[in-house]
Amino acid sequence: MSEDKKTLLELKKLKKYFPVRRGVYIKAIEDVSFSITEGEKFGVVGESGCGKSTLGRVILQLYPQTSGACIYYGRTFDEMCPKYFAKEIAKLPQYQKKADEYFKKSLEIDKKADVVRIEIDALSARGSDKEVKKEAQLAKKLSTLEFRSKELKKDASRQLREGSRTVGSLILCKDLPAVQELFSKAQKETVISSEKIHKYRDLERHYEESRVAGNPDENIKKEMEDITVQIKEHVAAAKAFRQEAWDTYHGKDILPITERCLDPEYQKKLDGNYETGINLGKLTKPEMRELRREMQMIFQDPAASLDPRQSVGKSIEEVYKINTDYSAQLRKEKTMDLLEKVGLKREHYYSYPHALSGGQKQRVGIARAIALDTKFIVLDESVSALDVSVQAQILQLLNELSDEKELTYFFITHDLGVVKHFCDRILVMYLGNLCEIADSKVLFHNTLHPYTQSLLASVPRLTLNQEHSTEFVLEGDVPSAMNPPKGCPFHTRCSKCMDICKKEKPPIIEKEPGHFVACHLYSQE
Amino acid sequence: MGKVLEVKDLVTTFRIDKKEYEVLRGVSFDLNENETLCMVGESGCGKSVTTLSVMGLLPNNGRIVSGSIKLNGQELTTMSPKELNTLRGKQMGMIFQEPMTALNPLLTIGRQMTESLMLHKGMSKKEATETAISYLEKVGIANPEERLKQYPFQLSGGLRQRIMIAMVMSVQPSLLIADEPTTALDVTIQKQVLVLLNKLKKDVSTGVLFITHDLSVVAEIADRVIVLYSGRKVEEGTIEQIFAKPQHPYTVGLMNAVPNVDLDEFDIQPIPGTFPNITEDIGGCRFHPRCPYATERCRKEVPAELETEPGHFVYCHKVEEEQSK
Ligand SMILES: Nc1ncnc2c1ncn2[C@@H]1O[C@H](COP(=O)(O)OP(=O)(O)OP(=O)(O)O)[C@@H](O)[C@H]1O
Ligand code: SF4
Ligand code: SF4
Ligand SMILES: [Mg+2]
């Protein structure tokens, strides 16, 4: 429950297939799992078509995922859906009670089954025609009973699993009402803090309006500061209540509701169900829209994402128009501030896209992406189309913004030089599969996956006298994602391919702390 | 070593809204046979206009105002479009960023390859087919006979680019112009194409004018380099001179802006400001608004050519003043 390194986003076995026609799919993403830490610049590299863009879009729910989950921890579940959460807390005793009932019932049925079993045993010792018939009847009865018992046991587990989504393994506690009370208190604190957040936004709008009008209202400013403190207090209080519940009751006085309850592994599993994050795939459209305030995207082609008939100012203002109730004057002022923040001039408010250079257009794209309370940005080849000197300017701007606003980047690129120097951690993908994940420095110094190695060897080097080496030149093209190779997806081009590679998909192994690789060379050690 | 191409004081203008603007402001360079000359610079600096001027393919609103372009000693600027056309097919080959634009989507690869060989080399159909197959083999394409029957859309980007190279090189042109031929390709495929170009250049003894914005590609392929900035050459030298001892502040800035994969520590150091539009009126050295060393003189006077060591030319007041100290 308590984690030091704060995870912002967790992908669990994420899969994305695009249907082509009946039974044929483009397998764009295959079971990809990893997590992104708050404030980190997470890079994704790989050849064209490896699924980089698809991954970014699925995370933002621009495409629905085929299976798996994206869990977002930027906000907690109870914050997002307070009503639902309150209902779930109220239902906790019911889950426990039902689980108990189901399980007890299943035990009763087991007893009946035992009786039948003994009858059968007694019968089969003799063996006349009539008895054979009887035996068949009894066997049928037994299997019906066994089936019912199994179903009831499953139902019991299901009840506990549902409850564990709200409180983890605490659902097994004898003292569940006490747990319930603490969680309920926590939930109330969360509700208050989210109400205050709305209040804060209102005040902020009033203050900004007064500021734009030329006489900033210091009283409101003061009130905003107070509320900020209060929000922090309520959030902390909510956390404290939950922590108290955890510290007091976790692993103690566990009811043997089902036979598995005392098994620590099972308890761990229930704890794993405890969802603090938000499963993005399960949000409704309005909920996702609300989250768009903090999850944004910047594209490769800055021109394509701007409407040529709309002035730069208007296109940025649109973000405020859709998401806030700022007055026209305030929107304009905020937009001009943003223009300055991204290194443009206030006059650019009136410019049209055609009058801007590629770099300037990309700055407009950045301004739009950071207009609200942005926490997470997917950047899809956002600097790839720019000239080097401008690319460096934009990278510098992105660096400054991430420090200032504590942004987390999901940075998609095919340029290994850029990713090495801009990102903290790097994911290498091939044909929709994860090949390797490591800290940038580690990836370049202790490259493990043969695909990463050949990718690195292919990068044109600024350093002279490399005698145009042909050693690592990869032969051929990437195979089709509709019909990817069996076993290791890279085996058709890998110079180290072994027999097993053609048959079995390599598991993902943590070769050294934080360095993951999917290759049989390492799985056999 | 013969000179394939000699460009001297080339001035090309574009008419925009009834006014003429200079896009190339007196560009000169030579290209030798068996040599790869890389022209680098940012988008809008005039790289592609240079190639279009050489090929005589300027758009309607563009024209060569003065200067000379000689291909194997023959002056091109005074040639009729028809003469130029024949010359282009026989002696010049071109590869572009997107091979699809140069390939006819309605004709098979085989038809396109053999027709150009029959037309420009006077080969029989049989000879042409044999030559086409041998060049497809040279560019590492398996089953060349099969490929000849395919249409361009049936091929991946990397394959198309390789076929384009085979097609162009099979005519054995004395000048090959490659305008950002690997920019749209993945690094692994780019590497294949660069290795191939290096190999074929030697086989066919062609002079290659290679246009790119990517300095690391330059390092892989060039013998000599010219750096263009806003319609003017700012530096020229052998690959060793440019990479080991870049002199012009712009070249130095470019080098520092590239995130180098081989370095462990790298500070992103952008060149401040934006690239000027051709319609912008900038006097003196066109780089002065972005140059940290700009002085009054830079704002007024266009820097003259300075040969700092044999074959290494720089156009900068600061470098000149430092030399004369
Ligand atoms: N909307 C779509 N419908 C069908 N197939 C798609 C769609 N989007 C992507 N794909 C396919 O999914 C696979 C992964 O594509 P994706 O765009 O994610 O690759 P990428 O790594 O971003 O490549 P690039 O470097 O070219 O941008 C490809 O085979 C692609 O053709
Ligand atoms: S699993 Fe086998 S084929 Fe795949 S990368 Fe490793 S060695 Fe190569
Ligand atoms: S001539 Fe002046 S402005 Fe131009 S590059 Fe040299 S120092 Fe800078
Ligand atoms: Mg993409």
Side-chain angles (χ1 to χ4, degrees):
Chain A
M1 178 153 173
S2 50
E3 264 172 59
D4 289 328
K5 218 169 85 184
K6 228 174 145 194
T7 302
L8 183 67
L9 200 70
E10 189 183 0
L11 307 197
K12 293 182 178 173
K13 291 205 162 202
L14 197 68
K15 201 183 274 219
K16 175 68 190 170
Y17 288 4
F18 291 103
V20 181
R21 53 178 186 272
R22 247 191 116 111
V24 180
Y25 298 95
I26 293 177
K27 298 173 180 166
I29 308 275
E30 269 299 352
D31 286 345
V32 170
S33 308
F34 59 89
S35 32
I36 300 176
T37 312
E38 204 162 78
E40 101 175 313
K41 285 171 247 163
F42 187 86
V44 185
V45 286
E47 285 171 283
S48 167
C50 72
K52 309 182 292 286
S53 302
T54 304
L55 189 56
R57 278 155 206 251
V58 171
I59 290 176
L60 292 185
Q61 301 297 311
L62 297 174
Y63 295 153
Q65 60 231 21
T66 304
S67 66
C70 298
I71 315 283
Y72 178 66
Y73 296 95
R75 275 203 233 171
T76 54
F77 187 55
D78 54 342
E79 229 176 279
M80 233 4 232
C81 319
K83 284 209 189 97
Y84 173 81
F85 207 73
K87 222 161 58 198
E88 285 297 304
I89 293 173
K91 264 161 78 179
L92 288 176
Q94 210 175 319
Y95 286 133
Q96 205 185 50
K97 200 170 125 230
K98 277 208 181 132
D100 193 42
E101 276 170 26
Y102 289 143
F103 193 70
K104 287 219 174 87
K105 230 183 248 166
S106 84
L107 292 182
E108 276 164 31
I109 291 174
D110 284 350
K111 265 186 214 142
K112 280 186 199 157
D114 283 344
V115 173
V116 176
R117 232 172 258 127
I118 291 167
E119 269 181 67
I120 293 178
D121 279 351
L123 282 176
S124 45
R126 297 176 225 144
S128 72
D129 268 6
K130 209 173 147 196
E131 276 155 355
V132 172
K133 231 183 193 169
K134 178 105 195 262
E135 186 181 345
Q137 268 174 2
L138 284 173
K140 201 172 158 205
K141 192 171 168 194
L142 177 62
S143 80
T144 316
L145 288 173
E146 277 173 348
F147 177 75
R148 274 184 59 203
S149 154
K150 217 164 92 198
E151 283 303 301
L152 282 165
K153 288 199 173 86
K154 267 197 213 158
D155 285 340
S157 295
R158 203 171 292 141
Q159 293 295 324
L160 292 177
R161 191 168 67 228
E162 285 306 315
S164 70
R165 291 194 200 285
T166 319
V167 290
S169 66
L170 295 185
I171 187 69
L172 306 177
C173 270
K174 194 169 159 206
D175 225 345
L176 190 62
V179 172
Q180 194 187 8
E181 198 187 316
L182 285 168
F183 268 79
S184 197
K185 278 185 186 159
Q187 197 269 341
K188 284 190 186 109
E189 294 292 337
T190 310
V191 171
I192 300 175
S193 76
S194 36
E195 278 164 5
K196 300 235 162 183
I197 289 172
H198 280 117
K199 179 97 193 287
Y200 179 88
R201 282 194 192 146
D202 264 354
L203 287 173
E204 186 184 30
R205 174 168 60 92
H206 288 305
Y207 174 74
E208 291 286 302
E209 269 163 11
S210 69
R211 184 176 67 85
V212 172
N215 52 340
D217 189 332
E218 290 310 320
N219 288 334
I220 301 187
K221 182 98 195 166
K222 178 83 191 25
E223 217 176 318
M224 278 162 65
E225 278 158 17
D226 291 346
I227 288 202
T228 312
V229 175
Q230 290 167 16
I231 293 172
K232 282 208 183 109
E233 283 168 2
H234 288 292
V235 169
K239 204 172 154 201
F241 281 128
R242 263 180 255 130
Q243 192 66 45
E244 189 187 336
W246 209 260
D247 291 346
T248 323
Y249 300 103
H250 189 239
K252 289 175 200 136
D253 274 342
I254 289 175
L255 292 174
I257 305 175
T258 71
E259 79 270 359
R260 286 198 293 170
C261 288
L262 295 172
D263 177 0
E265 281 305 310
Y266 178 63
Q267 293 168 18
K268 221 188 252 165
K269 205 173 136 203
L270 289 180
D271 282 342
N273 293 340
Y274 177 75
E275 287 171 356
T276 49
I278 300 170
N279 187 340
L280 295 177
K282 295 211 167 139
L283 292 184
T284 60
K285 281 234 169 73
E287 283 166 348
M288 194 59 217
R289 200 173 315 128
E290 168 73 14
L291 261 194
R292 279 279 139 69
R293 291 179 74 107
E294 46 199 72
M295 304 182 82
Q296 288 283 337
M297 177 141 184
I298 302 174
F299 296 94
Q300 163 165 19
D301 183 3
S305 54
L306 293 175
D307 181 348
R309 289 157 307 180
Q310 208 176 27
S311 73
V312 165
K314 289 279 174 249
S315 80
I316 299 176
E317 262 191 60
E318 214 175 60
V319 182
Y320 291 119
K321 233 181 194 163
I322 296 170
N323 294 290
T324 69
D325 41 14
Y326 290 170
S327 70
Q329 201 194 0
L330 178 55
R331 289 202 299 262
K332 185 165 171 184
E333 188 57 32
K334 281 251 168 199
T335 302
M336 290 200 165
D337 288 349
L338 266 180
L339 286 172
E340 278 183 332
K341 173 150 271 168
V342 298
L344 293 166
K345 301 201 182 81
R346 294 174 82 85
E347 295 87 85
H348 280 119
Y349 183 93
Y350 305 100
S351 308
Y352 281 83
H354 70 85
L356 302 182
S357 69
Q360 286 172 329
K361 278 182 208 145
Q362 202 52 289
R363 287 175 196 268
V364 176
I366 295 172
R368 283 169 57 122
I370 60 166
L372 299 164
D373 337 308
T374 313
K375 284 189 184 153
F376 176 78
I377 308 183
V378 172
L379 298 115
D380 192 353
E381 303 274 9
S382 302
V383 299
S384 309
L386 304 174
D387 276 314
V388 274
S389 75
V390 183
Q391 171 178 302
Q393 290 176 357
I394 299 291
L395 288 175
Q396 201 173 46
L397 172 68
L398 289 171
N399 258 337
E400 287 163 10
L401 289 173
S402 84
D403 288 346
E404 187 189 321
K405 306 183 76 118
E406 291 167 25
L407 300 173
T408 305
Y409 292 142
F410 188 79
F411 191 88
I412 299 171
T413 181
H414 66 276
D415 189 325
L416 285 147
V418 170
V419 84
K420 174 172 183 183
H421 297 296
F422 184 72
C423 295
D424 307 317
R425 219 145 53 92
I426 300 172
L427 158 69
V428 183
M429 281 180 79
Y430 186 77
L431 265 182
N433 287 268
L434 179 158
C435 292
E436 189 162 1
I437 291 194
D439 284 351
S440 305
K441 289 233 169 74
V442 176
L443 187 77
F444 283 83
H445 282 285
N446 185 17
T447 316
L448 296 178
H449 200 284
Y451 177 62
T452 319
Q453 286 166 353
S454 28
L455 210 53
L456 273 178
S458 314
V459 181
R461 295 301 160 90
L462 269 182
T463 331
L464 290 183
N465 304 324
Q466 302 224 341
E467 214 14 76
H468 312 304
S469 95
T470 52
E471 186 190 349
F472 281 102
V473 176
L474 271 188
E475 290 300 326
D477 289 321
V478 184
S480 153
M482 249 184 275
N483 202 356
K486 297 252 152 22
C488 170
F490 186 55
H491 88 248
T492 53
R493 296 168 89 195
C494 180
S495 60
K496 303 196 176 133
C497 178
M498 305 167 283
D499 272 346
I500 184 173
C501 306
K502 295 178 191 158
K503 291 179 209 132
E504 277 173 45
K505 195 164 173 170
I508 296 169
I509 306 234
E510 188 165 11
K511 190 70 189 12
E512 51 185 326
H515 191 165
F516 298 88
V517 60
C519 169
H520 286 302
L521 289 176
Y522 307 99
S523 58
Q524 289 168 341
E525 286 169 9
Chain B
M1 212 162 36
K3 281 194 168 46
V4 177
L5 184 69
E6 295 157 84
V7 175
K8 197 142 182 47
D9 296 327
L10 184 65
V11 177
T12 301
T13 62
F14 272 105
R15 211 174 48 247
I16 300 167
D17 293 336
K18 299 195 178 132
K19 272 180 84 177
E20 275 206 285
Y21 296 99
E22 282 187 0
V23 186
L24 297 182
R25 300 160 183 264
V27 171
S28 308
F29 62 91
D30 293 344
L31 170 65
N32 300 313
E33 142 189 324
N34 258 325
E35 179 185 60
T36 303
L37 175 66
C38 271
M39 192 179 258
V40 269
E42 297 177 275
S43 63
C45 71
K47 302 184 298 279
S48 294
V49 177
T50 309
T51 63
L52 294 174
S53 304
V54 170
M55 295 183 291
L57 291 175
L58 284 171
N60 282 336
N61 64 335
R63 68 185 180 105
I64 296 172
V65 177
S66 62
S68 119
I69 304 171
K70 283 191 186 140
L71 179 67
N72 298 318
Q74 257 182 307
E75 180 61 50
L76 301 186
T77 51
T78 52
M79 225 176 243
S80 76
K82 204 167 145 227
E83 287 171 306
L84 243 177
N85 215 350
T86 343
L87 200 68
R88 250 204 315 269
K90 282 202 178 123
Q91 299 188 16
M92 289 189 216
M94 295 159 252
I95 317 173
F96 300 100
Q97 175 166 347
E98 184 31 80
M100 218 37 197
T101 54
L103 291 170
N104 185 333
L106 301 176
L107 300 182
T108 59
I109 300 296
R111 179 111 182 257
Q112 300 188 50
M113 282 191 83
T114 50
E115 270 183 6
S116 86
L117 284 168
M118 286 170 357
L119 179 68
H120 300 302
K121 292 262 147 188
M123 289 185 186
S124 70
K125 177 132 203 217
K126 189 158 164 282
E127 280 173 315
T129 310
E130 277 164 12
T131 312
I133 289 174
S134 84
Y135 271 87
L136 286 180
E137 275 166 358
K138 271 193 213 262
V139 298
I141 286 174
N143 305 326
E145 288 90 351
E146 286 305 308
R147 294 294 181 197
L148 286 178
K149 291 181 208 141
Q150 288 185 315
Y151 290 89
F153 69 86
Q154 292 171 308
L155 307 165
S156 70
L159 262 181
R160 265 186 229 142
Q161 198 58 290
R162 267 185 282 169
I163 286 179
M164 194 63 222
I165 292 172
M167 189 181 290
V168 166
M169 293 306 256
S170 66
V171 185
Q172 300 185 306
S174 47
L175 169 65
L176 174 69
I177 296 181
D179 194 345
E180 306 265 7
T182 60
T183 306
L185 304 176
D186 276 317
V187 277
T188 56
I189 311 290
Q190 164 166 291
K191 181 84 182 183
Q192 295 173 357
V193 170
L194 291 179
V195 167
L196 198 71
L197 273 177
N198 266 332
K199 189 177 124 233
L200 278 183
K201 177 187 78 178
K202 287 185 200 123
D203 289 2
V204 183
S205 66
T206 300
V208 183
L209 178 59
F210 195 104
I211 313 288
T212 180
H213 69 281
D214 189 340
L215 280 169
S216 23
V217 170
V218 174
E220 293 267 321
I221 195 160
D223 299 311
R224 267 185 324 121
V225 184
I226 47 183
V227 184
L228 278 194
Y229 186 82
S230 193
R232 279 203 199 109
K233 182 166 76 177
V234 295
E235 187 159 3
E236 171 178 346
T238 62
I239 175 95
E240 291 82 14
Q241 288 166 339
I242 297 289
F243 277 78
K245 291 173 269 175
Q247 305 233 332
H248 195 281
Y250 176 63
T251 317
V252 175
L254 270 187
M255 297 273 182
N256 290 338
V258 185
N260 186 342
V261 222
D262 289 323
L263 296 182
D264 276 343
E265 298 302 327
F266 172 80
D267 273 335
I268 299 173
Q269 289 176 41
I271 302 175
T274 49
F275 197 83
N277 219 310
I278 56 159
T279 54
E280 257 172 80
D281 185 21
I282 300 172
C285 168
R286 301 241 340 143
F287 187 56
H288 83 244
R290 301 173 75 188
C291 179
Y293 313 106
T295 62
E296 202 43 41
R297 186 174 170 214
C298 304
R299 281 181 263 279
K300 296 208 180 97
E301 219 177 289
V302 179
E305 179 176 290
L306 176 74
E307 189 165 12
T308 56
E309 57 180 287
H312 193 173
F313 302 94
V314 191
Y315 302 75
C316 169
H317 294 311
K318 169 180 162 267
V319 177
E320 187 232 45
E321 280 157 22
E322 276 168 7
Q323 288 261 316
S324 58
K325 259 180 213 164

